Amino acid sequence: MSDSQVIFEKSVKGRKGASLPNSDVPQVKLSDSISPDLLRAKPANLPEVSEPQVVRHYVNLSVKNHHVDRDFYPLGSCTMKYNPKINDALASLPGFTNIHPNQPTEKVQGALHIIYELEHMLLKITGMSDATLQPSAGSQGEFAGILIMKKFHEKNGDKRKYIIIPETAHGTNPASVTLGGFEPREVKSDKRGRVDIDDLNSKLDREVAGMMLTQPNTLGLFEDHIDEISNAVHEVGGLMYMDGANLNAVVGLCKPADMGFDIIHINLHKTFSTPHGGGGPGSGPIAVMKRLSPFLPVPRLSKNKEGEYCWESDYPDTIGRLHSYYGNFGIIVRAFVYIRMLGDKGLKTMTRNAIINANYLKHCLKDVYDIPFSEGTLHEFVASGIKQKDKGVKVLDIAKALLDYGFHAPTIYFPNNVPEAMMIEPTESETRETMDRFVEAMLEINEKINTDPDLIRQAPVNTPVSRLDETKANRELDLRWKP
Ligand SMILES: Cc1ncc(COP(=O)(O)O)c(C=O)c1O
């Protein structure tokens, strides 16, 4: 039996995975209590397999693809850190999994306590005044932040049209700006990979609603002119939005509020350790400075006179609801556990180790791969495969070759201002030995490019499937197995 079969193909008629005792209560005819047109016409086509077959099938499936529990996953901008198992264990407690958002608030005070506490932990980390954990992704947090900017200006009777974003911005930034009814105005990077201040100044006027800035930016560099940037944007009446998806580089070391930001979103599913990748689930809380609190989405959690938690929706200037209920609760519990486990000191160590690890890797790779913007690397850096491309090997080939060494590839071809970009983010979870294995692989790949580049161009050869036609896979998405 080939390992590439789906579980339905392993099915043998009559085989069972479980045996149940005979029923000792009279059988009820379903059509007596359920309308016959709601009943299935014929039994569901379920695979008939034994218990060991099921276990082996899913264990084998779980290692066919790469994940952070298998090995190093330096996917830049995604902060693929190890997710401690205790997060999952606690988030899976029946007291958390068996509750429903429609239950009366007095029955779920414990859950509301966690939401309240996490909100306050994030306020302490960011220095902001109020927060909501409602957005279900970083990008939804961005969208909420843009709507807040819009309401703020409307309330002041101010017509604003543009939001400034740097050329290195994550793709979700211009998308949120456009979706929120503004036009992005792009600002260039300077020679050091930071916002070009002259270009920024030339683009600031009273039509600018604000600036959306990733700090540290997507090159992994701290925007060290942040005071000047914030002051210039505020001077024309604009607001500063921090894309805080890279918060793993600053937690415990500095606060977004002190840098002049008015709004921030935080990706709990990156910085605060939840499985990320494969499309979800996520959580992108936003936090704001006091003057923007009235615009936060509803419902908002508060405490009544008796000290009980309750939901409040009576905020006339709110941007409204982002979706039904309130955020991804499981992710909220995981982030709460993670922050409580680490504490102030642990969070600071986490950040420092993420920075040290990125700088260590950069140092080990710098003689072989080009690193164009290298001064002041924080939690990630962008290397370029430009020298390797001159020898006929693209960065896509290098990424594929890494799979043969058992590593996930870095993010490639982003950001756009670095040719043949490889964005490498080791995170704090990795040991020096793991990073050394990665360096060895990267150096060996470079050696092979010099001696036998075809080996790299054909990679991967040791994975369950070899090189895919990615264009076809994206254009003709067909994920359903048909018998
Ligand atoms: C810099 C940056 N901004 C925004 C986002 C969007 O976050 P999400 O994928 O949760 O929508 C990401 C995603 O990782 C990111 O790296």
Side-chain angles (χ1 to χ4, degrees):
M1 189 179 279
S2 144
D3 198 30
S4 62
Q5 284 179 313
V6 302
I7 196 153
F8 288 93
E9 290 171 302
K10 294 179 179 170
S11 182
V12 173
K13 194 148 185 51
R15 186 169 286 168
K16 284 198 165 65
S19 56
L20 298 173
N22 289 334
S23 171
D24 58 359
V25 291
Q27 207 166 349
V28 175
K29 224 171 133 204
L30 277 178
S31 52
D32 289 345
S33 46
I34 300 175
S35 157
D37 36 301
L38 288 178
L39 290 175
R40 274 185 179 283
K42 49 183 188 181
N45 179 26
L46 296 175
E48 297 178 83
V49 281
S50 70
E51 183 173 329
Q53 274 186 302
V54 175
V55 172
R56 285 177 191 159
H57 180 77
Y58 287 105
V59 167
N60 287 328
L61 208 55
S62 76
V63 289
K64 276 200 167 167
N65 215 336
H66 194 82
H67 49 81
V68 78
D69 286 351
R70 279 191 75 181
D71 214 326
F72 192 40
Y73 205 134
L75 189 68
S77 201
C78 285
T79 316
M80 300 301 286
K81 62 173 75 180
Y82 173 75
N83 305 290
K85 297 300 166 231
I86 190 162
N87 297 0
D88 290 331
L90 295 183
S92 307
L93 289 174
F96 293 134
T97 53
N98 293 345
I99 52 174
H100 191 278
N102 276 347
Q103 274 176 263
T105 48
E106 62 271 20
K107 303 275 188 213
V108 289
Q109 287 290 304
L112 300 184
H113 178 69
I114 288 192
I115 294 175
Y116 189 87
E117 286 293 308
L118 182 62
E119 259 182 36
H120 286 80
M121 289 170 181
L122 297 179
L123 292 178
K124 192 170 164 204
I125 288 168
T126 57
M128 298 275 167
S129 307
D130 285 292
T132 173
L133 310 188
Q134 199 179 137
S136 291
S139 44
Q140 203 182 30
E142 288 173 26
F143 179 56
I146 295 293
L147 294 184
I148 289 176
M149 278 198 191
K150 199 171 184 186
K151 271 243 156 167
F152 168 82
H153 289 301
E154 278 170 8
K155 186 92 187 148
N156 292 338
D158 221 354
K159 277 205 165 44
R160 304 258 172 169
K161 201 168 161 195
Y162 301 103
I163 292 189
I164 307 265
I165 33 180
E167 63 178 356
T168 50
H170 192 261
T172 50
N173 291 187
S176 304
V177 164
T178 311
L179 211 60
F182 291 102
E183 281 177 43
R185 210 179 237 184
E186 193 175 282
V187 64
K188 289 200 197 77
S189 303
D190 64 14
K191 285 202 289 290
R192 296 169 60 246
R194 274 80 170 179
V195 167
D196 183 320
I197 302 286
D198 292 336
D199 194 40
L200 172 68
N201 284 328
S202 74
K203 286 174 178 160
L204 282 175
D205 56 36
R206 309 286 313 175
E207 280 197 299
V208 169
M211 177 170 192
M212 204 170 207
L213 182 65
T214 308
Q215 175 72 312
N217 67 25
T218 54
L219 292 163
L221 306 174
F222 192 76
E223 292 286 353
D224 42 14
H225 294 298
I226 187 62
D227 279 350
E228 210 176 327
I229 296 172
S230 295
N231 289 340
V233 172
H234 286 150
E235 227 159 78
V236 295
L239 294 169
M240 283 294 289
Y241 180 100
M242 173 161 152
D243 177 332
N246 289 343
L247 204 69
N248 214 52
V250 292
V251 175
L253 303 187
C254 60
K255 295 188 179 188
D258 296 339
M259 295 184 244
F261 288 104
D262 302 286
I263 315 174
I264 177 177
H265 86 257
I266 301 153
N267 283 30
L268 294 188
H269 50 285
K270 291 171 58 173
T271 312
F272 299 113
S273 147
T274 271
H276 172 61
S283 179
I286 53 171
V288 297
M289 297 301 270
K290 196 86 231 155
R291 62 182 170 149
L292 299 176
S293 295
F295 307 106
L296 279 171
V298 289
R300 286 172 61 183
L301 188 61
S302 64
K303 265 188 195 174
N304 63 21
K305 279 193 244 87
E306 288 73 43
E308 286 160 358
Y309 297 106
C310 53
W311 292 113
E312 297 272 5
S313 289
D314 190 17
Y315 292 94
D317 289 327
T318 174
I319 59 162
R321 253 182 188 280
L322 292 169
H323 52 72
S324 55
Y325 304 126
Y326 192 83
N328 263 331
F329 183 63
I331 311 305
I332 291 172
V333 178
R334 284 171 174 83
F336 172 85
V337 174
Y338 186 69
I339 295 174
R340 284 297 296 270
M341 295 280 292
L342 290 183
D344 284 350
K345 211 167 141 225
L347 285 176
K348 207 179 266 191
T349 309
M350 161 195 106
T351 311
R352 287 196 168 134
N353 287 348
I355 296 172
I356 290 168
N357 280 359
N359 279 277
Y360 177 69
L361 272 188
K362 185 180 79 174
H363 176 79
C364 295
L365 295 176
K366 72 176 186 336
D367 294 336
V368 170
Y369 294 92
D370 210 35
I371 300 173
F373 300 106
S374 183
E375 177 223 324
T377 289
L378 289 184
H379 68 306
E380 65 187 351
F381 63 98
V382 180
S384 166
I386 194 83
K387 287 192 276 192
Q388 288 71 18
K389 191 165 184 210
D390 289 345
K391 295 172 190 157
V393 173
K394 298 190 296 260
V395 105
L396 176 72
D397 304 319
I398 298 174
K400 296 292 179 195
L402 276 168
L403 302 177
D404 274 338
Y405 288 88
F407 299 119
H408 196 281
T411 296
I412 52 173
Y413 299 114
F414 179 75
N416 303 333
N417 61 339
V418 175
E420 297 297 298
M422 284 179 279
M423 194 186 213
I424 302 174
E425 182 180 12
T427 84
E428 70 282 3
S429 315
E430 302 304 332
T431 59
R432 180 165 174 182
E433 294 77 34
T434 301
M435 291 191 291
D436 286 343
R437 280 196 294 120
F438 177 74
V439 170
E440 228 171 84
M442 288 292 281
L443 301 187
E444 211 172 289
I445 289 170
N446 183 61
E447 268 310 304
K448 285 184 186 163
I449 293 172
N450 291 331
T451 53
D452 192 356
D454 264 348
L455 276 180
I456 303 300
R457 283 192 287 258
Q458 284 155 13
V461 291
N462 298 323
T463 46
V465 287
S466 53
R467 184 92 56 121
L468 297 172
D469 180 342
E470 293 187 1
T471 315
K472 189 173 160 66
N474 275 296
R475 295 227 167 110
E476 295 167 35
L477 198 64
D478 181 9
L479 298 174
R480 206 182 137 221
W481 176 80
K482 295 172 200 89

